[in-house]
Amino acid sequence: MTLRIRLAGIVAIVIALPVMVSCAALVWQPAMPPVTPPKAAQFSPEVIARGAEMAAIGDCAVCHTASHAQPYAGGRRIPTPFGLITATNITPDVESGVGNWSEAAFRRAMRDGVDDQGRFLYPAMPYPHFTQATDQDITALYAFLMTRQPVHAEMPPNELPLPLKLRPVMAGWNLLFFKAQPWRDDPKQSAEWNRGAYLATAIGHCAACHTPINALGGEVSSKPYAGGEVEGWDAPALQAASSAAKPWTVEELTDYLRTGLSDQHGAAGGPMVDVTRELATVPEQDVRAIATYFVSQMPKSPTVPPAPKENESVAAGSAVFAGACAGCHAPNAPMVQRGAPSLALSSVVNAPSPRDAIQTILHGLPWREGKTGPYMPPFEAVLNNQQLTDLVRYIRARFSGGPAWADVEAQTQNARQNGGT
Ligand code: HEC
Ligand code: HEC
Ligand code: HEC
């Protein structure tokens, strides 16, 4: 997962510094007194279970785990355009984790992005979303974390340039882009819709990837879920601009979010894979609520693209397809088991940019241990840039009625350099 601050964020710092200086009072936050680590018996099993659910929806383990042997022990380096920010050890180890954090200190980190010592956190930690979490859910998350196995693990330092290295600078960023506000239900919507909206916004932080960001690295609040960019992948629009060829139904979206595969739309292959692995562990009704919230914003009727037609310039790609892909993707392909959707239905093939199609071909689809699921091998080492470019132009022309993608060659080169899973 990636910090949603972009290059132009440097500009933010320049603007933010004077703002910050003039508001020096906002920059100072007190340290919170340490506590004796709470005993597991202090927390009820129901509260811990709810915390586990919130931790899964909030992807805490995705960022805060570097080695699967040591969940929540931190050390994963989150790439940002400025440098690397380490997700910290949030196991209850007293020396290197959050073992002596009080619940009040934890609440402040979640709500205000300030650590136990009073230092500002970087928004690589999604506190701009967690700030809306209810007291009950923050309490549950605290109970869950405090009952994990303590792991002693010192963190590699962040690698950030000046002035970003200086945490008080984040007070300026907060002033510009961060609003601490409690969650409010929309009384015009159903209970299920509101539950889904809350889980998606305050816990699941779907917008951190699926909403575009402005030049200064803040989410563009006027364009919620209009599509964003993360680790070399496009995170597609989840509202009216969805590129799905057939409209998503609540049923299908629930299925996709829990399995990473939709028979009607394609499969998760990039950063969304981890999100779906976490959602696979939470009660189905929560995922269904999230799906209800998003489907209500998506188109109801299919976009009917003009029928695709083959043309000369894609002949070379056609040969690559026949050799490398047709065994699985031609109609009636022998290797297709679980009613794999035609590429014509794939959101990736119908997307406005070729980026995710290129990433899918380069990196394939990951094997899901213990589950029958889609598997597609990576072609990174098999296809050269020319073959990949021809192939991508071909699948667009053959399977989508959308206009030809303009920048396939540049995107191909770009994708080789960054991204993947
Ligand atoms: C997108 C990645 C990401 C996700 C998801 C995420 N975190 Fe973090 N978190 C970070 C990073 C990076 C830091 C360190 C930020 C810094 O150094 O300023 C951090 C810091 C923290 C801290 C402060 C710890 C300390 O030692 O200062 C706490 C507490 C925390 N996260 C809890 C959580 C919880 C609980 C969840 C899930 C509900 C969560 N995080 C989800 C990236 C993430
Ligand atoms: C870390 C960034 C990230 C987060 C957080 C995230 N997504 Fe995604 N999502 C992506 C990316 C990137 C893709 C494109 C395909 C891929 O990665 O496999 C995607 C694909 C999707 C798709 C497929 C859309 C289509 O038409 O094919 C849906 C639906 C989706 N995400 C919903 C969600 C929901 C709901 C949440 C919150 C619970 C969420 N995402 C959180 C990055 C993210
Ligand atoms: C071993 C079988 C196999 C091979 C070989 C294979 N694929 Fe796939 N591919 C799959 C499966 C399974 C899926 C997931 C189900 C789906 O979306 O069709 C998939 C999905 C895709 C997707 C859509 C992803 C999405 O989320 O919508 C694209 C694009 C794709 N493949 C392109 C290719 C291309 C191009 C080649 C040849 C270079 C290729 N595949 C070779 C099995 C394969």
Side-chain angles (χ1 to χ4, degrees):
M1 304 221 172
T2 281
L3 173 56
R4 309 302 317 280
I5 299 186
R6 291 301 134 103
L7 290 167
I10 289 282
V11 180
I13 305 318
V14 174
I15 296 177
L17 269 171
V19 176
M20 201 185 83
V21 171
S22 60
C23 306
L26 284 173
V27 179
W28 187 82
Q29 296 280 343
M32 294 274 196
V35 298
T36 317
K39 300 250 178 322
Q42 267 172 252
F43 304 106
S44 84
E46 293 75 38
V47 173
I48 297 171
R50 184 176 175 91
E53 208 181 311
M54 292 305 128
I57 300 175
D59 296 326
C60 317
V62 173
C63 287
H64 285 278
T65 304
S67 146
H68 289 296
Q70 302 192 322
Y72 303 100
R76 177 163 171 188
R77 321 211 66 197
I78 313 288
T80 80
F82 314 108
L84 300 169
I85 301 183
T86 308
T88 47
N89 180 352
I90 52 171
T91 70
D93 181 58
V94 172
E95 278 163 29
S96 62
V98 295
N100 58 9
W101 284 41
S102 63
E103 189 178 327
F106 177 71
R107 188 179 307 276
R108 184 173 69 173
M110 297 290 283
R111 285 264 165 82
D112 303 327
V114 173
D115 79 2
D116 63 328
Q117 301 297 311
R119 288 176 302 220
F120 288 89
L121 296 171
Y122 296 105
M125 158 71 179
Y127 66 84
H129 290 275
F130 298 153
T131 189
Q132 289 192 286
T134 61
D135 282 347
Q136 191 194 10
D137 286 343
I138 292 180
T139 299
L141 276 165
Y142 181 76
F144 173 73
L145 289 180
M146 287 301 172
T147 49
R148 295 311 90 199
Q149 181 67 37
V151 177
H152 186 90
E154 296 298 341
M155 294 298 105
N158 296 334
E159 286 172 26
L160 292 170
L162 282 166
L164 262 181
K165 238 189 165 117
L166 307 173
R167 288 183 179 269
V169 162
M170 285 302 117
W173 193 92
N174 285 345
L175 217 57
L176 290 169
F177 302 119
F178 172 64
K179 208 153 112 208
Q181 56 188 350
W183 177 257
R184 274 193 200 87
D185 276 355
D186 179 346
K188 293 193 292 297
Q189 301 285 353
S190 71
E192 187 180 38
W193 188 99
N194 275 306
R195 170 105 187 118
Y198 166 77
L199 291 174
T201 310
I203 310 288
H205 60 277
C206 315
C209 295
H210 286 277
T211 293
I213 50 167
N214 62 28
L216 303 180
E219 281 170 30
V220 182
S221 53
S222 62
K223 293 187 182 164
Y225 305 114
E229 204 185 293
V230 60
E231 289 175 34
W233 291 72
D234 283 325
L238 299 178
Q239 27 79 308
S242 157
S243 61
K246 281 173 93 178
W248 284 97
T249 63
V250 172
E251 208 60 46
E252 283 160 8
L253 189 51
T254 306
D255 196 33
Y256 170 88
L257 291 173
R258 299 182 84 223
T259 64
L261 175 68
S262 151
D263 290 346
Q264 301 294 317
H265 299 90
M272 192 60 196
V273 171
D274 283 338
V275 177
T276 59
R277 282 187 174 143
E278 294 293 320
L279 290 176
T281 69
V282 309
E284 185 174 342
Q285 73 207 46
D286 281 348
V287 183
R288 185 173 297 275
I290 293 174
T292 302
Y293 167 65
F294 282 108
V295 166
S296 76
Q297 306 174 50
M298 288 183 174
K300 303 286 173 292
S301 46
T303 43
V304 192
K309 44 187 177 305
E310 288 207 46
N311 64 44
E312 290 293 316
S313 67
V314 295
S318 160
V320 181
F321 187 85
C325 325
C328 293
H329 287 296
N332 309 317
M335 289 179 70
V336 175
Q337 318 110 352
R338 196 200 137 169
S342 159
L343 288 182
L345 288 178
S346 157
S347 301
V348 158
V349 176
N350 288 295
S353 130
R355 198 195 306 238
D356 287 2
I358 293 169
Q359 294 285 25
T360 306
I361 297 167
L362 285 177
H363 303 287
L365 298 173
W367 195 249
R368 288 178 178 248
E369 273 164 55
K371 297 221 168 124
T372 48
Y375 170 72
M376 171 169 150
F379 287 89
E380 191 162 21
V382 179
L383 302 174
N384 64 29
N385 277 0
Q386 187 59 53
Q387 290 167 323
L388 182 57
T389 303
D390 291 341
L391 175 63
V392 169
R393 290 199 175 118
Y394 170 76
I395 58 170
R396 176 71 166 183
R398 158 111 186 254
F399 294 104
S400 170
W405 284 319
D407 48 356
V408 178
E409 202 158 3
Q411 293 260 19
T412 302
Q413 281 170 6
N414 202 323
R416 286 233 197 235
Q417 273 135 38
N418 70 86
T421 41

